Amino acid sequence: MKSQQPYQVYLDREQLVHAAVQRWVELANESIRARNSFHVALAGGSTPKPVYELLQRENLDWDKIHLYWGDERDVPADHPDSNYRMVREALIDHVPIPETNVHPIHVQPDIETTVVAYRQELENVNRGANGQPCFDLIMLGVGDDGHIASLFPESSALTVNDSPVVSVYVEKLNSWRVTLTYPVLNTARYLMLLVSGETKAAVIARVFGSETERKFPVQKLAPQGRIEWYLDQAAASELPEST
Ligand code: 6PG
């Protein structure tokens, strides 16, 4: 990832969220006009939740929108930690999207079965020139350790380049995850990175501050498409230009 990636700093989380919603709607309408569909991989965690909540109010052609997930925790769909449950409660239960357009990482007792099933779901996504699923949009949060999706530092998943989705044991969380891999993230037409709060200030300063340091998973992105960072002032507070 080049350190001069474009980022926009918003006054606060609310303004960041509104900007992300506006771009999401633009991309959806553009994709539906151009390709009669919009395939988006959603981020988990807390930052994107208000984006999903505000999308409820948007006048979108939900018949042509397909929702996927960038990663999922190894928990049932009704578990409080489930990224699927978070999106269902924040968005899916409030909009007229056909059930067949919702493609969760369907967690099963055996995690490899989950991986195989999701790889099948990804068959619904058009392929890029490299044969990988080409999402119109992939949304990502960034952890304070620089992880994206469930691509954590020192993880075995960081070097996977022959499969679009893998299971991975996350030491620091003492739990399994299922995650998209870099080949898919890098093939997306558009990557939207949402980073809010002062807990992310240190990692943002290091990601954008150093030309040499490349240790964070987010820095290993090599997107073929467009990447845009949405930061609030708290997350950007340790960047040189903000001091
Ligand atoms: C997850 C996410 C994860 C998240 C980051 C940031 O399943 O938790 O995919 O990658 O985006 O941990 O999370 P916050 O937005 O809650 O800070």
Side-chain angles (χ1 to χ4, degrees):
M1 187 201 84
K2 298 187 296 297
S3 60
Q4 65 274 23
Q5 291 294 351
Y7 57 78
Q8 189 66 42
V9 180
Y10 297 90
L11 176 66
D12 55 21
R13 185 188 181 115
E14 187 180 353
Q15 297 214 359
L16 179 160
V17 164
H18 277 93
V21 168
Q22 186 182 343
R23 176 70 90 193
W24 203 103
V25 171
E26 280 168 12
L27 290 169
N29 290 332
E30 201 176 281
S31 179
I32 290 168
R33 268 195 306 276
R35 293 177 290 280
N36 202 34
S37 67
F38 179 58
H39 292 257
V40 51
L42 302 173
S46 58
T47 306
K49 187 174 177 186
V51 173
Y52 307 141
E53 288 167 340
L54 287 182
L55 283 171
Q56 292 175 28
R57 308 178 196 163
E58 296 296 328
N59 177 24
L60 288 161
D61 189 349
W62 289 105
D63 279 344
K64 296 187 176 142
I65 294 175
H66 289 259
L67 305 179
Y68 300 76
W69 276 254
D71 71 331
E72 186 56 274
R73 291 85 179 273
D74 188 20
V75 295
D78 59 356
H79 190 282
D81 290 348
S82 163
N83 287 333
Y84 165 73
R85 172 175 162 175
M86 181 268 285
V87 177
R88 176 166 280 286
E89 290 174 347
L91 178 60
I92 297 168
D93 285 347
H94 307 278
V95 294
I97 186 168
E99 275 301 319
T100 49
N101 286 24
V102 179
H103 311 272
I105 299 175
H106 193 58
V107 177
Q108 330 224 354
D110 168 47
I111 199 158
E112 287 317 312
T113 310
T114 305
V115 170
V116 170
Y118 196 54
R119 200 173 291 142
Q120 201 58 44
E121 282 296 325
L122 293 175
E123 290 300 312
N124 293 295
V125 186
N126 291 330
R127 298 293 112 169
N130 60 3
Q132 293 292 346
C134 178
F135 282 98
D136 299 300
L137 168 63
I138 298 182
M139 299 170 70
L140 293 169
V142 180
D144 57 10
D145 59 359
H147 79 261
I148 43 176
S150 284
L151 299 171
F152 284 79
E154 281 99 55
S155 155
S156 55
L158 297 181
T159 54
V160 172
N161 55 28
D162 57 353
S163 176
V165 52
V166 287
S167 64
V168 57
Y169 184 72
V170 183
E171 294 285 344
K172 71 186 286 190
L173 302 176
N174 188 23
S175 64
W176 284 88
R177 295 279 188 98
V178 174
T179 184
L180 292 180
T181 56
Y182 284 115
V184 179
L185 303 185
N186 288 332
T187 304
R189 287 189 169 82
Y190 192 101
L191 287 176
M192 175 187 277
L193 277 69
L194 306 175
V195 192
S196 166
E198 59 186 6
T199 60
K200 308 294 173 72
V203 70
I204 289 297
R206 290 178 66 183
V207 164
F208 287 107
S210 157
E211 276 305 307
T212 51
E213 189 173 30
R214 286 280 179 273
K215 63 175 285 200
F216 299 112
V218 67
Q219 291 176 298
K220 296 178 179 10
L221 282 171
Q224 295 163 18
R226 182 167 170 77
I227 180 169
E228 273 190 354
W229 293 70
Y230 293 69
L231 310 178
D232 63 9
Q233 280 186 353
S237 57
E238 292 183 24
L239 284 173
E241 55 272 35
S242 69
T243 45

